[in-house]
Amino acid sequence: MIDLAYNIQNEIEKIIGEIHSFDLLEEQGCTSEVRRLVTINGCYLLKSAYNERYRTWLKAEAQVLERLTHEREIPVPAYYGYIEKMDSSHLIMSFEEGITLTAALESGLSNSDKKALVKSFGQFLHHFHEMRPIEALQRENDWLEEQFLKAQNYIENGQTEGSLELLNKLKSQKPLPVQQTIIHGDCTTDNVLVIDGKVELFIDVSGMTVGDPRYDESLAISPFVDNPEYLHAFYEGYTRYKVSKEEFLYFNEGLYEFF
């Protein structure tokens, strides 16, 4: 029924039931293929990766969603299963109605409606950062130091546009520490869904953990940093902290270069 090897389809159907129909979704990242699957039991999302680096990310996302199965306070898709083959990896999760905030802001909405969406994004992230860090997402190592190690590995394997010079600069100019919170880890407008006119759900959660909330905040405001109206709207919702220009540059134009 779907354009996957028979053995993959068979394993998927053991988890969610016989597949009646499917469609490849146009709005997706460059790291994976995303399909909506319809079975007798309902709609599901199948996310498949083939590149080694992206398969690592997909496995991390599966592990996060599985750990959050009983933590419904965190708004993410529901986990159903993960299948790993020699040349591909496949994550099955709930299909959530909605569009990304990026798509919503590029639609024909009025300016006031777009500002309301940006404010709701701020409120959504504010609430998330104020949540009690749950045991399932706790880490033993320092978050920023772990990002440095990942960046170093990406440099050595030619998997990033970030340079060793930039990495060394980031290591020598670390910002003063702040209270760690739960973070999304790639909190862009592509990775939150708008449902019924508000930002309500995180997607692409492979980096969700306990870490520096300024990283989320910096990535979140990146599209609005030169738009005073939208930036103001965001901070009407996100009132817990406002990153400095130096912090924004460190996280958005520095650390994010590697990821």
Side-chain angles (χ1 to χ4, degrees):
M1 177 64 72
I2 64 175
D3 53 337
L4 290 170
Y6 172 77
N7 63 335
I8 298 293
Q9 180 175 337
N10 190 44
E11 289 189 50
I12 293 169
E13 290 184 333
K14 287 179 181 177
I15 297 171
I16 60 173
E18 183 181 350
I19 298 167
H20 291 174
S21 64
F22 79 96
D23 54 306
L24 189 66
L25 302 185
E26 292 183 7
E27 189 182 332
Q28 55 184 298
C30 62
T31 65
S32 57
E33 293 178 353
V34 183
R35 296 172 177 85
R36 177 174 55 186
L37 308 180
V38 180
T39 78
I40 191 170
N41 298 315
C43 287
Y44 301 85
L45 198 78
L46 176 68
K47 191 172 180 180
S48 304
Y50 303 90
N51 173 282
E52 181 181 356
R53 181 185 183 190
Y54 302 152
R55 289 181 67 184
T56 300
W57 291 358
L58 189 64
K59 185 173 185 177
E61 181 173 6
Q63 291 169 337
V64 169
L65 291 179
E66 186 174 21
R67 287 198 295 267
L68 293 177
T69 297
H70 302 296
E71 299 284 352
R72 299 313 300 165
E73 187 180 355
I74 297 180
V76 296
Y79 172 83
Y80 284 96
Y82 177 71
I83 301 167
E84 198 163 65
K85 294 296 184 182
M86 287 290 292
D87 59 352
S88 60
S89 302
H90 310 272
L91 170 60
I92 306 164
M93 66 188 97
S94 59
F95 178 81
E96 305 290 342
E97 295 287 352
I99 62 172
T100 66
L101 180 56
T102 299
L105 293 175
E106 291 174 351
S107 68
L109 292 174
S110 68
N111 191 53
S112 61
D113 284 343
K114 290 179 180 179
K115 285 193 292 184
L117 277 179
V118 173
K119 180 179 178 179
S120 82
F121 184 25
Q123 291 170 326
F124 179 71
L125 189 59
H126 176 103
H127 175 72
F128 180 62
H129 285 167
E130 290 291 300
M131 289 176 61
R132 168 188 57 86
I134 62 172
E135 185 64 31
L137 294 176
Q138 291 286 3
R139 61 192 311 108
E140 292 181 6
N141 302 321
D142 178 78
W143 175 82
L144 186 55
E145 291 297 332
E146 194 163 297
Q147 303 317 298
F148 291 158
L149 289 174
K150 288 181 183 178
Q152 181 78 41
N153 182 60
Y154 290 159
I155 292 170
E156 292 172 356
N157 290 284
Q159 295 177 320
T160 180
E161 295 179 4
S163 67
L164 184 59
E165 180 184 8
L166 174 59
L167 180 57
N168 288 334
K169 180 181 178 182
L170 294 175
K171 288 180 177 179
S172 67
Q173 298 180 2
K174 290 194 297 184
L176 292 173
V178 296
Q179 179 66 44
Q180 304 287 277
T181 70
I182 302 176
I183 64 169
H184 177 276
D186 191 11
C187 192
T188 67
T189 56
D190 289 333
N191 290 338
V192 291
L193 287 189
V194 174
I195 302 170
D196 296 330
K198 289 186 177 182
V199 174
E200 296 281 6
L201 191 87
F202 286 116
I203 58 174
D204 291 347
V205 298
S206 62
M208 187 172 285
T209 185
V210 174
D212 194 320
R214 293 171 296 184
Y215 187 57
D216 274 358
E217 183 188 346
S218 297
L219 270 55
I221 66 171
S222 179
F224 324 128
V225 74
D226 295 319
N227 185 323
E229 278 189 298
Y230 283 22
L231 194 62
H232 177 73
F234 178 86
Y235 281 113
E236 282 186 317
Y238 191 87
T239 59
R240 66 185 305 276
Y241 184 78
K242 187 171 184 178
V243 290
S244 67
K245 181 179 180 181
E246 291 74 24
E247 288 169 328
F248 172 79
L249 293 174
Y250 183 91
F251 289 108
N252 185 73
E253 298 183 16
L255 189 62
Y256 195 52
E257 282 293 302
F258 296 97
F259 303 103

